[in-house]
Amino acid sequence: MSRILKTSGFLGLATMMVVGLYQNMLLAGGTAVPSWMVGGHAHLGVLSILAIVMGFAVDALGVVGRVRQAVTGLYVVGQWALPVTVWVAAGVPVPALHPTAFLWGLCLIVAMLLMAWQAWTAEAADTPPQGAMPADD
């Protein structure tokens, strides 16, 4: 599961960079970049960096089982759906999508709260855990 988070993070950063290049092309051509495009770009960048961090954190904290699956699934859905909602709702425009941003934000919040709980309850270890590690997909 940490592989999914890390891959999603790097893919999100690559996507964000492509959008950034497109924004630069607009500016170079004398066209202003729409604010909704900038907002989605910023959200995707920050959330993608956090996806990479989360990928390492689930391993470091030894998150396993259903909690690991929930953190991964909720985070990846939120990482992508939030900026895409901003782009589609304002850019296309489909204003009816704006309220779904709260759902995607809630996915991200729940994933972070699960990780906060895991960080609080995990046994402190100065050395890497011994024995079998959770399988990475």
mmCIF file of all heavy atoms in Angstrom, residues 60 122-129:
data_model
loop_
_atom_site.group_PDB
_atom_site.id
_atom_site.type_symbol
_atom_site.label_atom_id
_atom_site.label_comp_id
_atom_site.label_asym_id
_atom_site.label_seq_id
_atom_site.Cartn_x
_atom_site.Cartn_y
_atom_site.Cartn_z
ATOM 1 N N ALA A 60 6.974 3.404 8.349
ATOM 2 C CA ALA A 60 7.723 3.719 9.565
ATOM 3 C C ALA A 60 6.920 3.445 10.830
ATOM 4 O O ALA A 60 7.482 3.026 11.842
ATOM 5 C CB ALA A 60 8.167 5.183 9.540
ATOM 6 N N ALA A 122 1.424 3.801 18.439
ATOM 7 C CA ALA A 122 2.515 2.922 18.004
ATOM 8 C C ALA A 122 3.603 2.878 19.073
ATOM 9 O O ALA A 122 3.893 3.874 19.727
ATOM 10 C CB ALA A 122 3.100 3.401 16.682
ATOM 11 N N GLU A 123 4.190 1.716 19.238
ATOM 12 C CA GLU A 123 5.304 1.564 20.157
ATOM 13 C C GLU A 123 6.515 2.302 19.598
ATOM 14 O O GLU A 123 6.833 2.184 18.423
ATOM 15 C CB GLU A 123 5.656 0.077 20.329
ATOM 16 C CG GLU A 123 4.604 -0.711 21.072
ATOM 17 C CD GLU A 123 4.490 -0.302 22.532
ATOM 18 O OE1 GLU A 123 5.523 0.007 23.155
ATOM 19 O OE2 GLU A 123 3.361 -0.270 23.036
ATOM 20 N N ALA A 124 7.168 3.056 20.445
ATOM 21 C CA ALA A 124 8.380 3.752 20.023
ATOM 22 C C ALA A 124 9.488 2.736 19.841
ATOM 23 O O ALA A 124 9.682 1.847 20.662
ATOM 24 C CB ALA A 124 8.778 4.788 21.063
ATOM 25 N N ALA A 125 10.208 2.868 18.740
ATOM 26 C CA ALA A 125 11.322 1.960 18.469
ATOM 27 C C ALA A 125 12.477 2.750 17.879
ATOM 28 O O ALA A 125 12.291 3.543 16.973
ATOM 29 C CB ALA A 125 10.885 0.866 17.498
ATOM 30 N N ASP A 126 13.661 2.519 18.432
ATOM 31 C CA ASP A 126 14.843 3.190 17.904
ATOM 32 C C ASP A 126 15.440 2.428 16.738
ATOM 33 O O ASP A 126 16.243 2.951 15.994
ATOM 34 C CB ASP A 126 15.902 3.343 19.001
ATOM 35 C CG ASP A 126 15.445 4.309 20.083
ATOM 36 O OD1 ASP A 126 14.688 5.242 19.761
ATOM 37 O OD2 ASP A 126 15.848 4.117 21.243
ATOM 38 N N THR A 127 15.060 1.172 16.607
ATOM 39 C CA THR A 127 15.577 0.344 15.522
ATOM 40 C C THR A 127 14.409 -0.145 14.682
ATOM 41 O O THR A 127 13.285 -0.221 15.158
ATOM 42 C CB THR A 127 16.337 -0.872 16.086
ATOM 43 O OG1 THR A 127 15.435 -1.620 16.902
ATOM 44 C CG2 THR A 127 17.539 -0.440 16.894
ATOM 45 N N PRO A 128 14.668 -0.493 13.430
ATOM 46 C CA PRO A 128 13.595 -1.000 12.588
ATOM 47 C C PRO A 128 13.011 -2.284 13.191
ATOM 48 O O PRO A 128 13.721 -3.032 13.872
ATOM 49 C CB PRO A 128 14.286 -1.302 11.256
ATOM 50 C CG PRO A 128 15.562 -0.535 11.283
ATOM 51 C CD PRO A 128 15.926 -0.373 12.730
ATOM 52 N N PRO A 129 11.727 -2.534 12.983
ATOM 53 C CA PRO A 129 11.120 -3.736 13.528
ATOM 54 C C PRO A 129 11.791 -4.997 12.983
ATOM 55 O O PRO A 129 12.216 -5.030 11.836
ATOM 56 C CB PRO A 129 9.660 -3.666 13.076
ATOM 57 C CG PRO A 129 9.517 -2.459 12.233
ATOM 58 C CD PRO A 129 10.818 -1.729 12.217
#
